[in-house]
Amino acid sequence: MSGQSLTPRERAVLAAVGRRLNNSEIAAELFISVRTVESHIAALRRKLGVDTRADLVAAAGMRRGAPVRVPATAFLGRDTELADLHDRLTRHRWATIAGPGGVGKTRLALEYARAHDGDLVPLVVELEHAGPDDVVARIARAVELESARNTDLLAAVGLALAAHPYLLVLDNVDRVGVEVHRVVDALSASAPGLRVITTSRTPLGSESVLHVDPLATDGPAAPGVRMFLDRLDRSGRPPAPGDRELAEEVCRRVDGLPLAIELAAGVARHLSLAELAARLDRDFATLDRAAPAGRHRTLETAFAWTWDLLTGDERDVLCRLAALPRTFDVDLATAVTHPGAEGVVLRLLDHSMLVPATGSRFRMLAVMREFVQARTDPVVIRDVLARHAEYYAEIARHFVTLARIDDSPAAMGRSALLCPEVNAALRWALAAEHPTALSLAASLAVGIEQYGSDADSVHSIAIAARDARVLRDATTEDLLAFGIGLCYLDLPLVDELAGRALDAARDADDRSRLSAHHLAGMSDAYRDRGAAAIAHLDEAERLAIALDDQWELAAVRQMRGIALRDGSIGEPAAAIAEFASAMHGYALAGDAMHVNNARYMMAITAAEHGLHVGEAAGWAAECVDYASRVGNTHELAHATLVQQMLRVPDAAAKLGELTETFRRLGDARCLTRCLLMAADRAAPADALPPLEEALHLADTTGDEHYQIAALERLVGAYWTAGDRMRVRTALGRLELLAGPETASTAATAAGAPVDLAIRDGAGR
């Protein structure tokens, strides 16, 4: 075939020949004379090197449609969507690819068109800047039809599309959705073989809709991370071996939005990935400096398109939802906006300004939230956050009234949903000096004790427990709740709370005095002040009996068991008896979770002291069964810890997995136990890191028992490593904490000279 180019009129005549129109029909359609048509056909035969009209029809078929042009970059992570799109087009003929700006709708449509070029003739029509009157004309130009007076252009386009099996891609139809719907309906009726893909933030109505989500970012092999590394390589900065974890962090921060990933990779030409990740933790302004090729040059332009299409009410609701710290359901959305906002929320979902989260909850992409917050009055943001705090303070207050007697999986799931929301509300309330802070902190403390903790929530409670305004209004019951939540994180702070509670309870009622003595006994028990702990707990027991409070009575007896089992008293058999009594009391109070927790205390005490080893394994197995049944991760970790101590072959988790679980839960005491156990089982050369972390945790929590345990082991580890200076320092600390005899014993066990222990106070 000749390589000579065709004029626009020659292309139009050839397209008409391809639709098997005769010369008179072509003349009428193009509003030219038959003689002019004949002249163009002669020119076409010469340029295309063909002799017959049948050859021209074949040539028209070979030239119809334009090659689908897609970016040269790798197309990753959309195999499922391509298959889904094919299925929808097979069954419904028309599908809209919907999703937020920058999610890759156009790229998906073009990749599908390219993949199926040969089965279908692809026609790509861009409608981003079109008006309603432009839609038919632009499609007509794609099939090389000319608009003539006194002709029905839509009907002519329908006839043209009926000549072959076409795939019509109408890109960015948001502004002309109504007209596109009318045109596609008409064309589908005229051309039974036609398939149509539209891309839009919002579904148009009767088509099949494929919602496209951002790319997954969970792990270095996730498509979002692979896309980032591919774009990084193309930008002239090949990824280094250590880049994958930072790349995952960058991609997770931008929610896996492909446009944001492209922009981030562009910026990474000039910044280290660590610096880029740090900047993205603050805001996304860095990304708007990037300028990749393509339609959206910044996140601003990607989102402004949809923003401009929103009504005033939709913008107001969107601004308020953008102020929320986390996900939300329709009830919360209504609480922070206005009654009747449910319909607006659903419309915003249709506009892809909101995306589904888990269950019946929704969220806003982080990059979208920043775009909207920049357009939101700070007064509105504060009002929303205050409503959010009040909303969750009331829900949490009601929830924890039932927490002691509801250990159902449903309650566990509810707690998992509430905990991060209450935590976020508490952080804001503390910073804003909002009156809900105390209620939120107290509820959060009870919730994490009953259903399991997380590190962030425990730290939030610690912040609240140091806040002067919170402490000013806190009751002794509030202080006790804080203390229980903090006992495995910050023992000096628990001590402070106990002192405050005792001062407040001097002339108070029995309930306040019970809470104060319970808290003081707990603090003394964990700080190994055994006699003082027993005295406080005896008084708390007397008050609990007087008040006929079975739950408090059981909790006091459980704490007495903790005071008895180690340290200055060291009566593990008596401790186990107290835990058994506590189990009975909790059962009478209907608290099955604490029945299990007291059983765990029996098991770990027996395991640590070599008592009732067979029974201890059975108790631990019962705890594993209970925690697995109700879905309590913290209780399951406790039970697994005992199994690891007893070296049960089929323990519920490996020691390394258990260590990470306690780290995530924020349980520093049990994490320290795991680290010490890992060091005991490690080769001498590998024992130092877990031992040093264990000592750091014990120092942070103020736990002398584990400080001593870690230091005793570190003396041997440092001696094995040949680090005499650190041996001397560790022995000096041991001497201060536990006395010269303990330091000498540790030195002897390590094979180090006893005189390395520091006795002159130097370096202390």
Side-chain angles (χ1 to χ4, degrees):
M1 181 180 293
S2 172
Q4 296 183 61
S5 61
L6 305 183
T7 67
R9 180 53 59 85
E10 288 169 346
R11 289 198 300 271
V13 171
L14 181 61
V17 171
R19 289 183 278 119
R20 292 176 170 77
L21 300 185
N22 61 37
N23 289 0
S24 297
E25 291 169 330
I26 295 172
E29 181 176 281
L30 300 182
F31 203 65
I32 55 179
S33 69
V34 172
R35 186 176 294 277
T36 301
V37 172
E38 292 171 349
S39 176
H40 284 311
I41 287 176
L44 286 168
R45 286 175 176 167
R46 184 178 66 257
K47 288 184 176 183
L48 298 177
V50 298
D51 296 323
T52 67
R53 197 174 186 95
D55 292 335
L56 279 179
V57 171
M62 295 177 65
R63 294 177 62 93
R64 65 187 183 224
V68 180
R69 296 176 180 174
V70 299
T73 53
F75 182 63
L76 300 165
R78 297 297 192 195
D79 291 345
T80 299
E81 287 86 347
L82 282 172
D84 192 352
L85 181 58
H86 183 68
D87 179 64
R88 291 172 186 275
L89 288 172
T90 300
R91 291 185 294 116
H92 303 290
R93 297 179 58 200
W94 175 21
T96 288
I97 303 172
V103 81
K105 301 182 294 296
T106 298
R107 181 68 184 269
L108 178 61
L110 295 179
E111 290 288 347
Y112 181 88
R114 180 171 67 172
H116 292 274
D117 189 359
D119 302 325
L120 298 165
V121 180
L123 295 171
V124 180
V125 181
E126 173 60 59
L127 295 175
E128 181 174 4
H129 301 293
D133 295 338
D134 301 324
V135 173
V136 177
R138 292 195 180 192
I139 299 173
R141 284 198 293 274
V143 293
E144 298 183 329
L145 275 179
E146 292 191 4
S147 177
R149 290 176 292 176
N150 302 319
T151 62
D152 184 342
L153 188 56
L154 179 58
V157 170
L159 288 174
L161 295 177
H164 302 287
Y166 280 97
L167 173 64
L168 178 61
V169 178
L170 303 177
D171 197 22
N172 297 298
V173 305
D174 300 75
R175 294 185 185 275
V176 289
V178 174
E179 177 65 7
V180 165
H181 198 299
R182 182 187 74 85
V183 168
V184 172
D185 280 346
L187 295 179
S188 297
S190 302
L194 177 65
R195 298 292 183 269
V196 180
I197 297 174
T198 44
T199 70
S200 174
R201 271 79 159 179
T202 308
L204 304 186
S206 60
E207 79 278 31
S208 179
V209 180
L210 172 60
H211 288 281
V212 180
D213 296 320
L215 293 170
T217 60
D218 50 342
V225 179
R226 289 191 291 125
M227 177 183 176
F228 178 81
L229 294 173
D230 172 76
R231 304 312 191 257
L232 196 63
D233 188 27
R234 284 179 170 272
S235 72
R237 184 193 181 286
D243 282 347
R244 288 190 176 274
E245 287 188 6
L246 285 170
E248 184 179 350
E249 185 177 343
V250 167
C251 294
R252 184 168 55 248
R253 185 67 183 91
V254 299
D255 278 324
L257 191 71
L259 172 61
I261 291 174
E262 298 266 10
L263 295 171
V267 171
R269 291 176 298 173
H270 312 295
L271 300 176
S272 70
L273 293 193
E275 184 178 357
L276 175 58
R279 287 178 177 273
L280 293 177
D281 276 338
R282 298 193 297 270
D283 57 50
F284 299 103
T286 305
L287 299 186
D288 279 337
R289 297 176 185 165
R295 185 163 42 87
H296 297 314
R297 300 183 73 83
T298 66
L299 293 170
E300 182 84 10
T301 58
F303 298 146
W305 168 268
T306 313
W307 174 266
D308 292 342
L309 296 177
L310 300 178
T311 66
D313 191 25
E314 288 169 342
R315 289 182 186 177
D316 178 66
V317 169
L318 189 66
C319 286
R320 288 182 164 272
L321 296 180
L324 290 171
R326 292 179 51 80
T327 64
F328 55 89
D329 57 15
V330 173
D331 289 339
L332 176 57
T334 303
V336 301
T337 55
H338 58 75
E342 296 93 333
V344 181
V345 171
L346 296 178
R347 290 203 301 275
L348 290 171
L349 278 164
D350 281 341
H351 285 303
S352 301
M353 300 297 273
L354 307 176
V355 296
T358 56
S360 58
R361 299 184 71 80
F362 312 106
R363 69 186 182 100
M364 198 177 297
L365 297 178
V367 286
M368 176 72 77
R369 177 183 285 113
E370 183 168 299
F371 170 87
V372 177
Q373 284 186 344
R375 289 156 175 76
T376 306
D377 188 331
V379 174
V380 170
I381 293 176
R382 179 181 172 85
D383 177 63
V384 169
L385 291 172
R387 293 195 198 189
H388 175 266
E390 291 159 3
Y391 179 87
Y392 277 109
E394 180 59 31
I395 289 177
R397 186 164 46 242
H398 175 72
F399 180 71
V400 299
T401 60
L402 304 174
R404 303 292 189 201
I405 58 173
D406 188 355
D407 67 338
S408 66
M412 187 66 63
R414 183 73 169 146
S415 173
L417 177 66
L418 278 176
C419 185
E421 295 289 351
V422 174
N423 181 30
L426 172 58
R427 291 287 183 118
W428 175 83
L430 289 168
E433 301 179 4
H434 194 266
T436 54
L438 173 58
S439 174
L440 288 163
S443 296
L444 185 60
V446 174
I448 66 170
E449 179 214 355
Q450 200 73 24
Y451 297 107
S453 66
D454 67 87
D456 193 43
S457 293
V458 176
H459 284 288
S460 293
I461 294 169
I463 295 170
R466 290 187 173 93
D467 187 275
R469 292 174 180 79
V470 170
L471 292 174
R472 180 192 62 203
D473 298 327
T475 66
T476 59
E477 291 175 89
D478 294 328
L479 297 175
L480 174 59
F482 295 165
I484 293 172
L486 294 170
C487 65
Y488 42 69
L489 179 73
D490 192 333
L491 292 178
L493 179 55
V494 176
D495 246 0
E496 293 176 23
L497 296 175
R500 175 179 286 272
L502 288 172
D503 288 343
R506 281 200 180 96
D507 299 315
D509 58 18
D510 285 355
R511 174 64 63 184
S512 297
R513 292 171 57 222
L514 167 58
S515 297
H517 284 288
H518 183 174
L519 178 56
M522 178 175 67
S523 179
D524 286 336
Y526 280 118
R527 301 302 294 273
D528 194 21
R529 299 187 289 253
I534 296 299
H536 282 301
L537 294 169
D538 285 348
E539 177 62 11
E541 182 179 59
R542 185 188 68 76
L543 291 165
I545 292 170
L547 291 168
D548 193 25
D549 189 328
Q550 287 292 340
W551 191 91
E552 275 292 338
L553 181 59
V556 168
R557 288 175 176 168
Q558 182 173 4
M559 192 52 59
R560 186 189 282 120
I562 292 172
L564 289 170
R565 70 181 178 182
D566 295 311
S568 58
I569 298 180
E571 296 181 11
I576 291 173
E578 289 289 343
F579 295 140
S581 177
M583 282 179 62
H584 178 70
Y586 285 133
L588 291 176
D591 187 344
M593 192 287 290
H594 273 93
V595 169
N596 182 78
N597 188 257
R599 182 185 293 113
Y600 150 71
M601 293 284 190
M602 293 169 60
I604 198 167
T605 302
E608 286 178 330
H609 294 276
L611 300 173
H612 316 295
V613 174
E615 290 180 88
W619 293 332
E622 289 182 68
C623 291
V624 167
D625 180 67
Y626 167 83
S628 301
R629 187 172 67 253
V630 302
N632 191 317
T633 302
H634 206 155
E635 287 301 299
L636 180 59
H638 281 151
T640 308
L641 176 61
V642 179
Q643 291 185 325
Q644 283 293 338
M645 293 172 68
L646 295 172
R647 293 184 177 270
V648 173
D650 56 347
K654 295 180 180 178
L655 183 56
E657 297 168 342
L658 185 61
T659 301
E660 292 310 309
T661 298
F662 281 124
R663 198 186 305 281
R664 187 176 67 253
L665 293 170
D667 188 339
R669 289 177 58 81
C670 289
L671 174 56
T672 305
R673 282 188 173 108
C674 287
L675 291 167
L676 293 175
M677 201 185 314
D680 289 343
R681 297 178 185 180
D686 299 325
L688 269 177
L691 286 176
E692 289 181 332
E693 184 180 359
L695 179 60
H696 172 73
L697 284 168
D699 289 342
T700 301
T701 59
D703 192 321
E704 288 189 7
H705 174 77
Y706 286 118
Q707 286 174 322
I708 293 168
L711 285 165
E712 287 175 328
R713 291 165 170 82
L714 277 168
V715 170
Y718 287 142
W719 182 257
T720 300
D723 193 335
R724 295 172 66 88
M725 181 62 70
R726 289 190 176 185
V727 171
R728 183 182 296 275
T729 302
L731 286 170
R733 287 197 62 188
L734 261 179
E735 191 174 355
L736 285 173
L737 287 168
E741 185 176 344
T742 301
S744 296
T745 301
T748 301
V754 173
D755 61 5
L756 278 176
I758 301 173
R759 293 186 173 86
D760 60 3
R764 297 182 188 177

